[in-house]
Amino acid sequence: MNTYTDYLWFNTKKRQEFVRITDEVAAIVKTSGIADGLVLVSAMHITAGVFVNDWEEGLIGDFQTWLEKLAPAGLPYRHHQTGEDNADAHLKRTIMGHQVVLPITGGALDLGPWEQLFYAEFDGQRRKRVVVKAMGN
Amino acid sequence: MNTYTDYLWFNTKKRQEFVRITDEVAAIVKTSGIADGLVLVSAMHITAGVFVNDWEEGLIGDFQTWLEKLAPAGLPYRHHQTGEDNADAHLKRTIMGHQVVLPITGGALDLGPWEQLFYAEFDGQRRKRVVVKAMGN
Amino acid sequence: MNTYTDYLWFNTKKRQEFVRITDEVAAIVKTSGIADGLVLVSAMHITAGVFVNDWEEGLIGDFQTWLEKLAPAGLPYRHHQTGEDNADAHLKRTIMGHQVVLPITGGALDLGPWEQLFYAEFDGQRRKRVVVKAMGN
């Protein structure tokens, strides 16, 4: 049984941005040499997430509109009494999920036809990290 | 360390349907011969999910009413400009979660007394798949 | 490849309570002797969750206010026709997530600077369990 660990770095131009990372994670899995197992992809910052969904610009816009409705920016959050202004980012990432575990089969990500992996940034414009850890034979 | 992979297929009669799959996954774990490890159960389609909760019809109805309130069908979603009509299904599956990882202990699923595993379909009436990958000793 | 399993028990004083468990899980990982791998931390009861976010009292209050807005207690849920009164707890735990998988690197939890692990209780004042299963080399 082998493990292989790598990290992806992000520094988004916009405060909120969804970045497709399917290819980057697939490349890490290939480098790992693992033929069969699991790979964890997990945001290491608490105002960002990782999720699987469709690679379609309209839907990405729908997600962002929807998250703003469910977890609006600019409310008088108690967290902001500490000097922070990003409580909504913590809530939004909770809706989207902060990590996924993907299956590796035959040396590659075992994904359905429309499954794409995304990094979801909700308080960007600074350097942040995602851990990618593969484990298997 | 062994791995074992199988797939569950679904073709629900209704567009939205929750299907209990605890027994099917328990059977795959038994077939795998793995005594101690983890099993990933993950929807391979982006308008379906997998979650753990209570096997009680009233609560399942509550979930569906609640999801319709949080992520309503029929809004003028941007995703629908592509010809799709299922943006709400993408949002609903995001709330419920698209995958779970269950512990295997003593050759069986290590679940609490009320934990049941469900497949959550939000755009059904077509063939869809769930990947089940067990890994352990 | 080794596995190591332990359980954390909770019996919260309040019905709803968030309990930081980073140190408890880190101690289990240390005891496991696993240097590189994954650890699953998963609530075994369906009205509780496990999540990663910030250890800041204001934000914890924000989460609780927000969850009450998205999944209010006291509505005429169908689940309550069974005699239960905790449908909202099932919904709230769904928003927060019921489990996380954490990376183990160099014999310790491989967490970002602000990542803290929490047990989220939504129907407490009774004994409940979380399974912690580590797997790796």
Side-chain angles (χ1 to χ4, degrees):
Chain A
M1 206 277 298
N2 293 312
T3 61
Y4 184 84
T5 308
D6 204 346
Y7 302 87
L8 297 172
W9 286 92
F10 299 89
N11 192 345
T12 60
K13 285 185 187 161
K14 289 184 284 181
R15 181 156 184 169
Q16 181 168 312
E17 205 170 314
F18 288 9
V19 184
R20 194 176 73 95
I21 57 171
T22 317
D23 298 342
E24 288 79 356
V25 172
I28 293 172
V29 166
K30 195 173 179 186
T31 303
S32 79
I34 291 170
D36 203 285
L38 301 174
V39 57
L40 170 70
V41 186
S42 188
M44 302 186 80
H45 295 258
I46 54 192
T47 50
V50 171
F51 71 97
V52 168
N53 219 298
D54 202 0
W55 187 22
E56 197 278 299
E57 283 305 313
L59 186 69
I60 289 172
D62 291 330
F63 266 116
Q64 294 180 331
T65 303
W66 177 64
L67 290 167
E68 200 54 46
K69 198 173 67 180
L70 289 188
L75 296 187
Y77 292 108
R78 288 174 54 190
H79 186 45
H80 295 177
Q81 295 172 17
T82 64
E84 293 285 354
D85 65 353
N86 61 2
D88 68 297
H90 293 270
L91 306 181
K92 286 175 170 111
R93 93 84 171 242
T94 300
I95 295 277
M96 295 309 292
H98 98 273
Q99 60 180 199
V100 302
V101 176
L102 300 178
I104 303 169
T105 309
L109 292 177
D110 191 356
L111 296 176
W114 305 104
E115 285 190 287
Q116 294 283 344
L117 188 61
F118 291 90
Y119 172 71
E121 177 64 81
F122 297 108
D123 186 21
Q125 300 168 318
R126 65 192 77 185
R127 271 167 65 79
K128 290 189 177 178
R129 231 170 17 143
V130 165
V131 57
V132 181
K133 189 180 284 278
M135 197 164 127
N137 290 322
Chain B
M1 206 277 299
N2 293 312
T3 62
Y4 184 84
T5 308
D6 205 346
Y7 302 88
L8 297 172
W9 286 92
F10 299 88
N11 192 344
T12 60
K13 285 186 187 160
K14 289 184 284 182
R15 180 154 185 171
Q16 181 167 311
E17 205 170 312
F18 288 8
V19 183
R20 195 176 73 95
I21 57 171
T22 317
D23 298 343
E24 287 80 355
V25 171
I28 293 171
V29 166
K30 195 173 179 188
T31 303
S32 77
I34 291 170
D36 203 284
L38 301 173
V39 57
L40 170 70
V41 186
S42 188
M44 301 186 80
H45 296 257
I46 53 192
T47 50
V50 171
F51 71 96
V52 167
N53 219 298
D54 202 0
W55 188 23
E56 196 279 298
E57 282 307 313
L59 185 69
I60 289 172
D62 291 329
F63 266 115
Q64 294 179 332
T65 303
W66 178 66
L67 290 168
E68 200 54 46
K69 198 172 69 181
L70 290 188
L75 296 188
Y77 292 108
R78 288 173 54 189
H79 186 47
H80 295 177
Q81 294 172 18
T82 64
E84 294 286 354
D85 65 352
N86 61 2
D88 68 296
H90 293 271
L91 306 181
K92 285 174 170 116
R93 92 84 172 243
T94 300
I95 295 276
M96 295 309 291
H98 97 273
Q99 59 180 198
V100 301
V101 175
L102 300 178
I104 304 168
T105 308
L109 292 177
D110 190 357
L111 297 176
W114 304 102
E115 285 190 289
Q116 294 283 344
L117 188 61
F118 291 89
Y119 172 71
E121 177 63 81
F122 297 107
D123 186 22
Q125 300 167 318
R126 64 191 79 184
R127 272 167 65 78
K128 290 191 178 177
R129 232 170 16 144
V130 164
V131 57
V132 182
K133 188 180 285 278
M135 199 165 124
N137 289 323
Chain C
M1 207 278 296
N2 292 313
T3 62
Y4 183 84
T5 307
D6 204 347
Y7 302 87
L8 297 172
W9 286 92
F10 300 88
N11 192 345
T12 60
K13 284 186 186 161
K14 289 184 285 182
R15 181 156 184 169
Q16 182 168 311
E17 206 169 312
F18 288 9
V19 184
R20 195 176 73 96
I21 57 171
T22 317
D23 298 342
E24 288 79 356
V25 172
I28 292 171
V29 166
K30 194 173 179 186
T31 303
S32 78
I34 291 170
D36 203 285
L38 300 174
V39 57
L40 170 71
V41 185
S42 188
M44 302 185 80
H45 295 257
I46 52 191
T47 51
V50 171
F51 71 96
V52 168
N53 219 298
D54 202 1
W55 187 22
E56 196 279 300
E57 282 307 312
L59 186 69
I60 290 171
D62 291 329
F63 266 116
Q64 294 179 331
T65 303
W66 178 65
L67 289 167
E68 200 54 45
K69 197 172 69 180
L70 290 189
L75 297 188
Y77 293 107
R78 289 173 53 189
H79 185 46
H80 296 177
Q81 295 172 18
T82 64
E84 294 286 354
D85 65 354
N86 61 3
D88 68 298
H90 293 270
L91 306 182
K92 286 174 170 116
R93 93 85 171 241
T94 300
I95 295 278
M96 296 309 292
H98 98 273
Q99 59 181 199
V100 301
V101 175
L102 301 178
I104 304 169
T105 308
L109 292 177
D110 190 356
L111 297 176
W114 304 104
E115 285 190 289
Q116 294 283 344
L117 188 62
F118 290 90
Y119 173 72
E121 177 63 82
F122 298 107
D123 186 21
Q125 301 167 319
R126 65 192 78 186
R127 271 167 64 78
K128 290 189 177 178
R129 227 167 26 139
V130 165
V131 57
V132 182
K133 187 179 286 278
M135 197 165 129
N137 289 322

